[in-house]
Amino acid sequence: MDVATRRRAWLLLLLLGALLLRSRCMGDVFLEGHVLPFDPDSSYHLWRIEEAARHPPWPPRFDPFVNAPQGAAVIYPDGFDGLMGTVAFVLSGGAPTRRSVQLVALLANPLLGTLALLALYPLGRQAFGRRAALGAVALGAMLPGHVFPGLLGRVDHHVFELLVPPLVLALLLAEGRRAARVLGAASLLGALPYLVPTALLHAALLGAALVCAGLRAAWLGARPATLLLDSAVAFAGAAAVVLPDALTRHGLAYEAPSRLPLLLLLLGAGALGLLYLASWGGMRRLLGGLLLLGLAGAVGAAVWLRDALGYLGGGGPLALVVEAQPVWADPWRSLQTHTLALPLLPVLFVALAWPSSTRSVPPAAWAVSAMGLGGVALVCLQGRFEALLAGPLALGLGAGAAALWRGRMRWAVVLAGATVLAPAVLLLSQLTLLTPDALAVLEATVWLRQHTPPVGPRQGRTSPPYTLLSLWGEGSHLAYLAERPVVAGSFFHGEYEAGYRDAISILYGDGDPEPVLARRRVRYLVLPAQPSWIEGAHRNMLGLGPPQAPTLYTQLYDFDGSSVTGQGGALVQARGQLRLRFESAIATRRDGRIVPAMKIFERVPGALLEGSCSGRLVRLRLRHPLESGRVVEFLSASPCQGGRFRLRLPYPGSAELIRGPSLEAITVTEQDVQLGRSVPAP
């Protein structure tokens, strides 16, 4: 077997192993009678893909089930969901079902993730050689930052962040068939804003990488640097591809589809074209043009950063930190995702681009190093941008390993590789999608579908009769899996922000939540177990300090809505219009205590109990059995004012009323609770 055949065989085996690794959680996704998506964004994408499969190729641009009952304009571009929906429509023979759409979308993700590995090979070969390219594929196959976007169980656009940028670079940096290469790069670059919300960051990184490669080409004597001209044409062509979508958008927002990608692609084409013209005057003029463009870009970046900080920090000083999620927020997880080499990556990328008397560095190496340095900077500011670094990280580590291997330091390569990759391997070996939180969401979904009235399809601009109140990912999952409208999901950009702010003000604020609950038509509150720091973070976003009394979330989750006392012994009255209907059989921890992973409360009018009294307080106790077998003990208290008291009861049954020394039995019916009837105390 010759060397080329052996290399192709190794490449095929690596790709097959990568596909199997990305599919290892299949049993956690396809459950008996259920499909469990990995993360909230997957549920959101699956809804849009299903609608696109029914009306190919257009996914909906309005979401009536999040920020309910008002709904919200979708903040994702159409390309990913439209493409997946069209494929599902074709493969299902024009009669797509929810199950067929789920199968196509979920199985496509690991296939695309494996193809993204294959896309690294030509770029790695141009930059560092065939052995380094093969090493990059091997490392990318097991790096969590490359595995997670292509994981089976996830349906998300992030997989295209791995696939498209290295292909664009490989096409523009290759040789021969110039027109076809530029056309292909323009098409891929133009497709990126249709597929990925963060396409602007990828375009900026690609532009910087191509400028660095052009500088290296000019340094090596390629004057004028035709790479810069090819790149300018590719950016201009990408702008032409984006133009039809831009004509249907408005404004220049960066948190939602707008005309900003078209503008920045045109600016990128102009900047690369100017640098190409400057390269005719030699290296000095090229560097001068780059300096001027750098100053202009710095001014533009400062303006953008000011707006971004104002946008992200609009909810309080800690909102920016909550949104940014820098690597130091969870350093161990960052090292597991990006390997122990993360702190040394800037040094590695600079070393790979540094020429010497014994080593000539091609332009492609400068491009990869620039992409890597940019990816490190972005990941340090925003940990979830792991897909921007995953490809350059695999290429950089592959090139470093190949260099040591050629230097006959093979034991050092094996030892260093095992050490650097150990946290990543540990993370992947412990990976499971059936976490307590995920199982609790599945439990809640089944209960809601069986015990709550349906509200109709998630289509058009219909206003649902009632909503669920939950937060973050649980909301997105419930909107798709339970097919029930929610006040807030995993988004807080654009029109989704209103629902998110109402949700956190209800659960964690200091005011009376009832007016907002009524305005939002909330009938059920679906509450996952959360550590107390989450409440503190949300109160900071509301501009509030530590609570003087238990918040609604704490009163419901820890006390089942019963009366409690706040600081100084102040009475916090019971939540007489919220009753516990469901609690998960899955156990989890909340601040060191074992608690149910999920609780669902129903909002009802509540029976009104009123009568005469003497003394300071009137107390009531009612025991109500749940389906789980636990008996809820609902405790309520009301001050005696003017010789009268008023109490609301959310449960039917026999209650014990304590007025002074006397103990009396009061019977409340379900009709009393549902109609808000007044029940006089004897």
Side-chain angles (χ1 to χ4, degrees):
M1 184 184 295
D2 59 21
V3 174
T5 303
R6 190 163 59 246
R7 188 176 291 119
R8 284 193 290 270
W10 273 111
L11 183 59
L12 183 61
L13 285 174
L14 289 172
L15 293 176
L16 181 60
L19 180 61
L20 293 175
L21 178 60
R22 284 152 178 76
S23 305
R24 66 180 293 266
C25 294
M26 182 178 292
D28 294 352
V29 178
F30 296 105
L31 307 174
E32 185 176 354
H34 301 282
V35 170
L36 186 62
F38 173 48
D39 67 0
D41 290 358
S42 298
S43 285
Y44 190 77
H45 279 294
L46 281 168
W47 160 64
R48 296 192 77 210
I49 292 169
E50 187 176 333
E51 292 301 311
R54 291 173 178 159
H55 310 283
W58 310 114
R61 289 189 174 184
F62 185 81
D63 183 3
F65 268 34
V66 184
N67 189 39
Q70 290 85 358
V74 169
I75 60 172
Y76 279 167
D78 295 338
F80 176 78
D81 300 319
L83 175 63
M84 290 291 179
T86 302
V87 172
F89 174 82
V90 173
L91 293 181
S92 60
T97 63
R98 168 161 287 199
R99 184 71 171 182
S100 67
V101 169
Q102 289 172 336
L103 284 171
V104 170
L106 286 164
L107 295 177
N109 211 58
L111 290 173
L112 290 169
T114 305
L115 284 177
L117 271 180
L118 185 60
L120 290 178
Y121 187 80
L123 180 58
R125 185 182 57 196
Q126 295 165 21
F128 308 114
R130 297 180 186 275
R131 182 174 291 173
L134 200 61
V137 173
L139 289 164
M142 66 180 74
L143 288 174
H146 213 288
V147 171
F148 288 156
L151 194 67
L152 194 152
R154 194 170 188 177
V155 180
D156 212 333
H157 52 259
H158 295 300
V159 70
F160 280 103
E161 296 183 77
L162 300 176
L163 178 61
V164 175
L167 285 178
V168 172
L169 276 184
L171 284 170
L172 290 174
L173 293 167
E175 297 179 356
R177 305 183 62 182
R178 184 179 177 190
R181 289 189 296 101
V182 173
L183 180 61
S187 301
L188 287 170
L189 185 57
L192 204 55
Y194 286 93
L195 297 167
V196 178
T198 55
L200 300 181
L201 290 176
H202 288 282
L205 286 180
L206 284 170
L210 290 166
V211 168
C212 290
L215 279 173
R216 180 58 180 163
W219 195 340
L220 294 174
R223 298 175 185 166
T226 53
L227 173 60
L228 294 173
L229 176 61
D230 292 348
S231 302
V233 173
F235 269 70
V241 174
V242 170
L243 181 61
D245 183 72
L247 293 177
T248 68
R249 308 292 186 180
H250 303 281
L252 297 174
Y254 40 80
E255 73 275 7
S258 69
R259 295 180 176 178
L260 188 59
L262 174 65
L263 175 62
L264 292 187
L265 286 171
L266 289 173
L267 289 175
L272 289 164
L274 288 174
L275 289 176
Y276 167 71
L277 294 176
S279 69
W280 282 81
M283 194 67 185
R284 182 175 296 180
R285 288 194 178 182
L286 180 56
L287 291 174
L290 183 60
L291 178 61
L292 290 175
L293 287 174
L295 291 173
V299 173
V303 173
W304 179 87
L305 184 61
R306 181 200 64 189
D307 294 341
L309 290 174
Y311 166 70
L312 296 176
L318 289 188
L320 177 59
V321 177
V322 172
E323 162 71 355
Q325 302 170 3
V327 291
W328 51 85
D330 191 348
W332 174 239
R333 180 56 181 247
S334 300
L335 291 174
Q336 286 185 299
T337 303
H338 305 295
T339 76
L340 287 176
L342 179 60
L344 300 177
L345 287 183
V347 177
L348 173 64
F349 287 123
V350 170
L352 292 174
W354 198 270
S356 67
S357 58
T358 58
R359 174 169 165 264
S360 178
V361 177
W366 278 41
V368 171
S369 296
M371 287 281 286
L373 291 171
V376 170
L378 287 170
V379 162
C380 286
L381 293 174
Q382 177 61 283
R384 65 185 180 186
F385 284 155
E386 59 189 32
L388 280 79
L389 179 59
L393 173 62
L395 290 167
L397 292 178
L404 292 174
W405 195 271
R406 283 194 300 269
R408 302 193 181 281
M409 300 177 64
R410 298 183 178 182
W411 283 109
V413 173
V414 174
L415 182 61
T419 303
V420 166
L421 293 174
V425 173
L426 178 65
L427 177 62
L428 293 176
S429 67
Q430 297 174 340
L431 180 64
T432 176
L433 305 187
L434 287 180
T435 62
D437 292 343
L439 290 173
V441 167
L442 191 58
E443 266 192 317
T445 295
V446 173
W447 188 90
L448 288 166
R449 292 179 72 94
Q450 292 177 349
H451 294 85
T452 63
V455 297
R458 188 177 179 179
Q459 296 172 347
R461 292 180 175 266
T462 55
S463 183
Y466 73 89
T467 68
L468 311 181
L469 175 64
S470 191
L471 266 185
W472 297 101
E474 288 78 11
S476 293
H477 280 313
L478 295 174
Y480 173 68
L481 296 173
E483 297 182 310
R484 300 298 187 266
V486 298
V487 174
S490 56
F491 304 119
F492 48 93
H493 305 304
E495 295 176 0
Y496 290 106
E497 181 182 2
Y500 170 74
R501 290 198 173 278
D502 276 350
I504 64 175
S505 68
I506 290 169
L507 293 175
Y508 308 116
D510 289 335
D512 180 8
E514 183 55 32
V516 188
L517 288 168
R519 174 167 55 83
R520 286 286 179 175
R521 303 179 193 169
V522 174
R523 184 166 174 182
Y524 298 94
L525 290 82
V526 184
L527 305 180
Q530 296 176 338
S532 56
W533 69 263
I534 292 180
E535 177 176 296
H538 284 106
R539 286 182 64 83
N540 276 310
M541 296 178 75
L542 293 169
L544 302 173
Q548 301 300 307
T551 61
L552 177 64
Y553 175 87
T554 298
Q555 190 176 359
L556 291 177
Y557 215 94
D558 293 346
F559 305 101
D560 295 330
S562 292
S563 293
V564 292
T565 55
Q567 291 187 4
L571 175 67
V572 179
Q573 292 200 6
R575 303 294 178 175
Q577 293 177 292
L578 297 170
R579 63 181 180 184
L580 182 61
R581 291 289 309 277
F582 165 85
E583 60 181 13
S584 173
I586 308 298
T588 188
R589 288 188 176 273
R590 168 169 158 80
D591 298 335
R593 295 177 291 111
I594 302 297
V595 297
M598 186 86 71
K599 291 185 177 184
I600 299 179
F601 290 81
E602 182 183 13
R603 179 169 165 264
V604 293
L608 177 61
L609 182 64
E610 52 187 351
S612 60
C613 61
S614 60
R616 192 173 65 88
L617 283 177
V618 175
R619 292 182 171 86
L620 178 140
R621 180 171 58 197
L622 184 146
R623 292 182 175 89
H624 183 78
L626 298 176
E627 292 179 2
S628 63
R630 184 170 77 90
V631 176
V632 175
E633 187 173 62
F634 181 77
L635 304 174
S636 184
S638 172
C640 183
Q641 297 177 334
R644 304 288 296 176
F645 75 92
R646 290 167 59 92
L647 290 168
R648 284 211 177 265
L649 277 73
Y651 301 100
S654 180
E656 297 176 349
L657 181 66
I658 305 171
R659 288 188 286 188
S662 63
L663 177 65
E664 306 163 60
I666 303 292
T667 300
V668 177
T669 67
E670 178 67 12
Q671 280 192 328
D672 295 334
V673 172
Q674 291 290 352
L675 299 177
R677 287 175 178 169
S678 177
V679 180

